[in-house]
Amino acid sequence: MITIPENAKGLIFDLDGTIANTMQHHFESWRKAILPYGIDFNADLFMQLTGKPRWATVEKLNELFGTKMDPIAVGNVKASHFKTLVNSTEEIAVVADVVRKYHSVLPMSIGTGSTRNGAKKTLEIIKMQHFFDFVITADDITNPKPHPETFLKCAALMKVNPKDCVVFEDGILGMQAAKEAGMMVVDVNDYFETVFVL
């Protein structure tokens, strides 16, 4: 079991790669979407970008590789392929156990770069939609991770001071966002490893 700091008064969870084991699905879907543009979308590149909304991921790839991909069109290809894989999603037990243990003990929320519909679907598939007081998604914010807005909104809705919040994250950008928000961080990668298959 992951232990949380004794002074924690609120828990915030990223979704993909933290509670839900979806990262291989996202990786495959991104590879399919950008294959026509000649970009080697490898696991290292993926992990640098994870946590960003689809449009922001495509914009960053354009910036890195000098491409002119349409963020909406490419994002839609990615989303369509992901939908064919999402139903096989399983929970990440080591984190889901924390959720169950602290349900009704501490306020809990989700802070994800997924869309509202995507997050809702994923939570339903892993049967964890009823555990969270609030779900903040890419549709609810202006500035995506590594900006702290996602997590600060979670804290405000839970009525918990940011410094008393613990964020569970697997992504580099998400961990940066949590630290920027002045929150405590649990790196899920210390407890669960995603192995990417090409």
Side-chain angles (χ1 to χ4, degrees):
M1 171 69 80
I2 300 172
T3 55
I4 68 164
E6 287 182 12
N7 58 330
K9 294 179 182 168
L11 306 181
I12 303 173
F13 297 83
D14 173 47
L15 181 56
D16 295 287
T18 297
I19 298 174
N21 191 7
T22 54
M23 298 308 274
Q24 176 67 30
H25 302 334
H26 283 293
F27 180 53
E28 287 178 33
S29 302
W30 274 118
R31 282 181 62 83
K32 182 178 180 68
I34 64 175
L35 186 67
Y37 301 92
I39 296 170
D40 176 23
F41 196 79
N42 57 41
D44 286 342
L45 179 58
F46 175 55
M47 287 309 292
Q48 287 171 36
L49 298 172
T50 189
K52 285 184 177 292
R54 292 193 299 262
W55 61 267
T57 299
V58 177
E59 286 182 354
K60 186 64 177 178
L61 289 169
N62 281 338
E63 183 185 312
L64 290 171
F65 294 96
T67 46
K68 291 186 172 62
M69 296 182 285
D70 180 330
I72 303 299
V74 174
N76 285 344
V77 172
K78 185 265 174 185
S80 295
H81 188 66
F82 182 78
K83 282 176 186 170
T84 68
L85 304 172
V86 71
N87 286 324
S88 64
T89 300
E90 296 178 348
E91 68 175 42
I92 294 176
V94 69
V95 182
D97 287 346
V98 175
V99 173
R100 291 188 186 96
K101 179 177 178 178
Y102 288 97
H103 179 55
S104 298
V105 176
L106 292 176
M108 296 194 294
S109 58
I110 296 278
T112 177
S114 288
T115 61
R116 188 176 299 120
N117 287 341
K120 183 173 181 284
K121 176 76 170 169
T122 299
L123 285 167
E124 285 171 357
I125 290 167
I126 61 172
K127 298 180 171 56
M128 299 205 81
Q129 69 272 28
H130 58 287
F131 284 106
F132 301 97
D133 303 301
F134 305 100
V135 178
I136 296 297
T137 71
D139 298 322
D140 305 308
I141 51 110
T142 306
N143 304 291
K145 303 171 187 177
H147 192 283
E149 182 183 354
T150 298
F151 295 142
L152 290 172
K153 275 202 166 184
C154 288
L157 287 167
M158 295 191 301
K159 296 182 171 54
V160 177
N161 191 307
K163 71 178 177 58
D164 297 323
C165 292
V166 180
V167 174
F168 291 77
E169 257 287 358
D170 70 304
I172 298 164
L173 300 178
M175 286 182 237
Q176 287 174 357
K179 286 171 185 168
E180 186 73 22
M183 299 177 177
M184 298 172 273
V185 185
V186 171
D187 182 348
V188 173
N189 299 300
D190 292 340
Y191 302 91
F192 177 85
E193 182 183 8
T194 300
V195 179
F196 294 104
V197 181
L198 297 178

